[in-house]
């Protein structure tokens, strides 16, 4: 499981989380399923934006990167519960050394060429301009505000020289072209193999990944791409004659998936274990990221992997963008919901639940505070949480232990419901493995709804006084459904499931329909599993967003 590396130039916002969350859900699902999961990621620490922030604050770039790396660790792992096998950082020594080795290997395999080419130089700033410091009009779609290497509007990669009306982002002057010698990655060498490979794997890719990659491969054709930069903050190029330059930040950041796997193996005292994932045809590699990262994961990194003879990506789970109250994310205008602020007010399960149910899977979607509150209170708590709460509270009030289906065989309606639960495991499995997490979570909610209907019809709270057998059957069925829901929803919202498990005295979350698992267990009546969201809390957030929009 390869989740994109957050760029640690500032706090993460909920748009980042929406793009990364599928990785944790799918990784958790596969673990429950009994698969051997290696889940790698880390902080992307190099490149010009961090250098720029450091210059502004008058500190070293390490200070900036370390500050937001620590924050990312705290937010993603400690708060949101992302279950990485290892979360590292590209400025760590281990990654540096692996990246330099891989760079050298790709160079030694004749996949790089030195070229002296024109590069943008700003005479006012007296420096070569890295891609992120040039802005202009996209040569492919004509959108303004395209960066030196990529356009946000059409996601296509381009050469900085092809930008129309280029300007220096630091001083707004027009830069000039100057000769500079760099190493280029010979992407055209891989054009045919990439074409053929894409045809075999694309059914595991999101539609946006297929479209972007096809158009880059077929319509545009691949060109040599410079992979060294005139920059001081990064990993030094290991090749003679280029040692004063740094490796292009994207080129070394994607190597992180591999270096992190190696580092994890070393830390586990099984230094060769990485081969089980990277030199194994049976392994399935998922790549999870936002749509602006697509070409790096479907063209550049696969070409590098071909040059290195390592396992190619299998599934590309690339999200669309998350807007905020219908507005496009803008750091400068304050149109964003920052993760540290969101987690200071709301529980991680609420954020995970809403960002999945309303995830930007196939189109841009908006995070709307009222909808957030509605979905959490009505669906997460009203439909799902209350089903467990009611079922297990009634059991502790009326029985010494959970009635088992052996003692209380299901009625007809109950049998149908149990069959639905068994089928739900298959449907949800398939949806998760395809990266269709909205569908997967909706199916789980659907089962909870059916459970509530059954419970309301059977009225065990009344029947317990007059017909104990009737109530026993109802609650045995509901306990089995409650158990199924617990396993099915655990990848999405692990935090309340941990609490529920402690009340039920179980830790088994194996991905299977197990209707007899809870029968006979003595349990503690569960107290509040998931907290409601109050109207006032939401109102403050809406006001904040409206102020930002009108400024
Ligand atoms: Zn464009
Ligand atoms: Zn300038």
């Amino acid at each position: 499981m390869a989740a994109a590396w957050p760029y640690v130039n500032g706090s993460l916002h909920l748009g980042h989380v929406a793009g990364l969350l599928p990785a944790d859900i799918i990784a958790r699902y596969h673990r429950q399923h009994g698969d051997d999961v290696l889940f790698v990621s880390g902080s992307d620490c190099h490149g010009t934006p961090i250098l720029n922030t450091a210059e502004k604050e008058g500190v070293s770039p390490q200070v900036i990167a370390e500050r937001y790396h620590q924050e990312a660790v705290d937010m993603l792992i400690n708060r949101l519960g992302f279950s990485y096998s290892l979360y590292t950082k590209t400025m760590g020594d281990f990654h540096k050394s692996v990246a330099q080795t891989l760079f050298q290997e790709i160079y030694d395999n004749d996949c790089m060429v030195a070229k002296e080419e024109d590069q943008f130089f700003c005479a006012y700033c007296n420096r070569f301009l890295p891609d992120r410091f040039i802005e202009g009009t996209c040569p492919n779609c004509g959108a303004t505000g395209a960066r030196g290497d990529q356009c946000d509007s059409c996601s296509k990669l381009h050469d900085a020289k092809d930008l129309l009306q280029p300007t220096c982002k630091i001083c707004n002057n027009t830069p000039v072209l100057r000769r500079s010698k760099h190493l280029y990655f010979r992407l055209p060498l891989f054009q045919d193999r990439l074409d053929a490979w894409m045809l075999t794997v694309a059914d595991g890719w999101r539609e946006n990944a297929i479209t972007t990659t096809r158009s880059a491969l077929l319509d545009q054709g691949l060109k040599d791409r410079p992979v060294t930069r005139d920059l001081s903050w990064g990993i030094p190029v290991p090749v003679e004659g280029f040692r004063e330059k740094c490796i292009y930040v994207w080129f070394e950041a994607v190597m992180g998936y591999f270096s992190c796997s190696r580092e994890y193996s070393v830390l586990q005292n099984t230094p060769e274990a990485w081969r089980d994932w990277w030199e194994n045809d049976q392994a399935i590699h998922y790549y999870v990221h936002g749509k602006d990262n697509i070409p790096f994961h479907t063209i550049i990194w696969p070409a590098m992997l071909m040059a290195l003879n390592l396992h190619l990506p299998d599934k590309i789970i690339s999200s669309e963008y998350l807007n905020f109250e219908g507005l496009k994310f803008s750091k400068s205008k304050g149109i964003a919901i920052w993760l540290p602020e969101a987690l200071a007010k709301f529980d991680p399960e609420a954020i995970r639940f809403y960002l999945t149910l309303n995830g930007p899977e196939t189109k841009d979607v908006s995070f709307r505070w009222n909808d957030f509150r509605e979905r959490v209170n009505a669906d997460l708590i009203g439909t799902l949480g209350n089903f467990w709460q009611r079922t297990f509270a009634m059991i502790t009030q009326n029985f010494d232990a959970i009635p088992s289906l052996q003692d209380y065989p299901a009625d007809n309606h109950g049998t149908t419901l149990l069959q639905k639960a068994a089928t739900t495991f298959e449907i949800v499995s398939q949806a998760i493995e395809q990266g269709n997490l909205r569908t997967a979570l909706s199916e789980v909610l659907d089962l909870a709804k059916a459970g509530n209907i059954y419970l309301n019809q059977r009225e065990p709270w009344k029947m317990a006084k007059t017909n104990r057998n009737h109530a026993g059957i109802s609650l045995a069925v509901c306990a089995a459904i409650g158990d199924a829901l617990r396993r099915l929803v655990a990848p999405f919202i692990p935090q309340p499931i941990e609490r529920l498990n402690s009340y039920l005295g179980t830790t088994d979350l194996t991905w299977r329909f197990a209707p007899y698992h809870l029968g006979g267990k003595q349990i503690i009546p569960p107290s509040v599993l998931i907290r409601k969201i109050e109207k006032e809390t939401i109102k403050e957030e809406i006001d904040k967003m409206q102020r930002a929009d009108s400024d």
Side-chain angles (χ1 to χ4, degrees):
M1 177 59 64
W5 292 50
Y7 191 70
V8 283
N9 189 33
S11 294
L12 296 170
H13 59 73
L14 293 191
H16 294 123
V17 179
L20 297 174
L21 181 56
D24 187 56
I25 295 169
I26 299 170
R28 284 176 179 274
Y29 155 78
H30 274 294
R31 277 193 211 103
Q32 285 180 239
H33 200 263
D35 300 320
D36 200 358
V37 176
L38 176 62
F39 181 7
V40 291
S41 190
S43 296
D44 181 3
C45 303
H46 295 128
T48 37
I50 286 174
L51 194 58
N52 201 20
T53 306
E55 277 169 17
K56 268 187 214 153
E57 287 195 22
V59 295
S60 74
Q62 283 95 328
V63 170
I64 301 294
E66 190 60 36
R67 181 196 301 159
Y68 293 109
H69 166 70
Q70 288 304 334
E71 189 183 284
V73 166
D74 191 38
M75 292 296 132
L76 295 175
I77 301 175
N78 302 342
R79 297 298 321 279
L80 280 175
F82 280 23
S83 57
Y84 299 112
S85 305
L86 178 65
Y87 184 90
T88 173
K89 51 187 173 186
T90 58
M91 63 181 178
D93 290 338
F94 197 99
H95 172 75
K96 271 188 195 172
S97 121
V98 171
Q100 287 182 327
T101 308
L102 295 185
F103 191 97
Q104 184 74 52
E105 210 174 315
I106 296 172
Y107 178 83
D108 290 344
N109 288 347
D110 274 333
C111 299
M112 287 190 199
V113 58
K115 285 193 208 180
E116 201 163 347
E117 280 204 2
D118 288 337
Q119 215 198 325
F120 280 120
F121 182 87
C122 179
Y124 296 87
C125 300
N126 193 32
R127 66 196 284 182
F128 279 105
L129 295 178
D131 298 328
R132 304 278 148 161
F133 280 12
I134 311 166
E135 215 171 71
T137 303
C138 171
N140 294 308
C141 75
T144 55
R147 293 189 304 260
D149 56 349
Q150 192 184 22
C151 166
D152 271 342
S153 293
C154 67
S155 289
K156 284 182 184 165
L157 301 176
H158 50 246
D159 204 311
K161 288 195 305 297
D162 299 330
L163 267 187
L164 310 170
Q165 287 103 37
T167 54
C168 167
K169 268 185 89 170
I170 309 163
C171 68
N172 280 324
N173 285 298
T174 305
V176 293
L177 288 168
R178 260 203 203 172
R179 304 298 278 176
S180 177
K181 197 175 178 188
H182 283 282
L183 285 173
Y184 284 66
F185 183 41
R186 300 171 65 193
L187 274 174
L189 290 179
F190 303 95
Q191 171 93 40
D192 291 346
R193 267 185 84 188
L194 286 167
D195 282 343
W197 168 68
M198 241 207 97
L199 293 174
T200 66
V201 291
D203 62 333
W205 294 17
R206 286 243 173 107
E207 200 54 43
N208 55 4
I210 297 173
T211 320
T212 308
T213 309
R214 282 228 172 99
S215 110
L217 284 174
L218 303 174
D219 311 351
Q220 297 179 294
L222 298 177
K223 296 191 189 105
D224 292 342
R225 278 186 69 83
V227 289
T228 56
R229 292 289 188 272
D230 292 299
L231 194 67
S232 57
W233 175 235
I235 298 179
V237 175
V239 175
E240 199 54 62
F242 297 88
R243 291 187 195 276
E244 77 288 0
K245 297 173 195 284
C246 279
I247 305 177
Y248 172 43
V249 63
W250 259 109
F251 201 68
E252 52 102 344
V254 288
M255 292 174 177
Y257 301 122
F258 182 72
S259 75
C260 190
S261 306
R262 297 284 301 259
E263 190 169 359
Y264 173 77
S265 305
V266 168
L267 292 172
Q268 296 292 306
N269 279 322
T270 48
E272 299 302 311
W274 61 273
R275 295 184 196 277
D276 294 346
W277 286 279
W278 288 93
E279 295 181 347
N280 179 356
D281 289 343
Q282 303 296 309
I284 300 172
H285 287 204
Y286 286 88
Y287 284 84
V288 177
H289 45 77
K291 70 174 160 191
D292 47 337
N293 292 353
I294 290 171
F296 300 102
H297 293 96
T298 61
I299 296 172
I300 296 180
W301 178 231
M304 292 160 73
L305 290 169
M306 285 172 182
L308 295 162
N309 208 13
L310 292 168
H311 193 106
L312 296 171
D314 295 295
K315 309 222 181 190
I316 303 287
I317 313 293
S318 36
S319 292
E320 297 284 316
Y321 292 137
L322 185 74
N323 295 326
F324 300 96
E325 297 285 344
L327 305 167
K328 251 188 162 20
F329 164 76
S330 163
K331 191 174 182 173
S332 57
K333 287 184 198 152
I335 297 175
I337 301 168
W338 300 102
L339 186 55
E341 292 174 24
L343 282 171
K345 286 195 171 169
F346 305 100
D347 291 327
E349 57 266 30
I351 292 170
R352 291 179 65 118
F353 179 81
Y354 183 63
L355 285 181
T356 304
L357 200 62
N358 183 41
E361 286 185 4
T362 54
K363 59 178 194 314
D364 294 355
V365 299
S366 236
F367 189 104
R368 293 183 191 274
W369 284 112
N370 279 322
D371 190 44
F372 168 65
R373 173 170 173 264
E374 181 79 19
R375 297 278 71 78
V376 169
N377 289 356
D379 297 339
L380 177 58
I381 301 175
T383 303
L384 194 60
N386 283 352
F387 180 75
W388 289 314
Q389 210 97 40
R390 292 169 73 200
T391 298
F392 295 117
M394 276 183 246
I395 287 172
T396 50
Q397 283 153 20
N398 298 292
F399 292 84
D400 296 334
I402 296 181
S404 91
L405 285 167
Q406 274 121 342
D407 302 334
Y408 298 96
D411 59 309
N412 280 343
H413 184 177
T415 306
T416 314
L417 185 58
L418 293 171
Q419 277 160 357
K420 181 180 169 67
T423 322
T424 303
F425 276 89
E426 289 163 35
I427 299 172
V428 173
S429 275
Q430 211 168 31
I432 291 181
E433 288 177 25
Q434 286 297 323
N436 298 331
L437 305 177
R438 291 172 71 124
T439 305
L441 187 52
S442 302
E443 288 292 334
V444 179
L445 287 175
D446 207 45
L447 178 63
K449 270 178 213 152
N452 282 312
I453 291 171
Y454 176 80
L455 194 59
N456 291 339
Q457 280 181 359
R458 300 274 302 180
E459 300 185 315
W461 59 94
K462 279 189 195 162
M463 301 305 287
K465 310 282 179 289
T466 54
N467 187 342
R468 197 172 164 76
N469 188 52
H470 189 280
I473 292 170
S474 313
L475 291 171
V477 169
C478 286
I481 298 301
D483 182 72
L485 288 169
R486 189 177 66 82
R487 296 166 195 267
L488 287 163
V489 87
F492 300 92
I493 45 162
Q495 295 87 354
I497 298 307
E498 253 177 53
R499 293 192 282 276
L500 180 62
N501 285 354
S502 72
Y503 298 130
L504 299 177
T506 181
T507 51
D508 176 25
L509 283 174
T510 319
W511 194 262
R512 66 192 171 106
F513 178 50
Y516 300 103
H517 176 68
L518 290 180
K521 274 196 200 310
Q522 289 184 320
I523 55 166
I524 311 166
S527 56
V528 176
L529 282 172
I530 304 156
R531 287 193 303 172
K532 265 186 121 165
I533 296 175
E534 302 303 332
K535 207 166 189 168
E536 299 76 60
T537 327
I538 290 300
K539 202 179 166 303
E540 288 167 26
E541 298 304 317
I542 295 173
D543 290 348
K544 210 194 288 174
M545 193 71 80
Q546 276 167 349
R547 276 198 304 276
D549 186 34
S550 58
D551 280 351

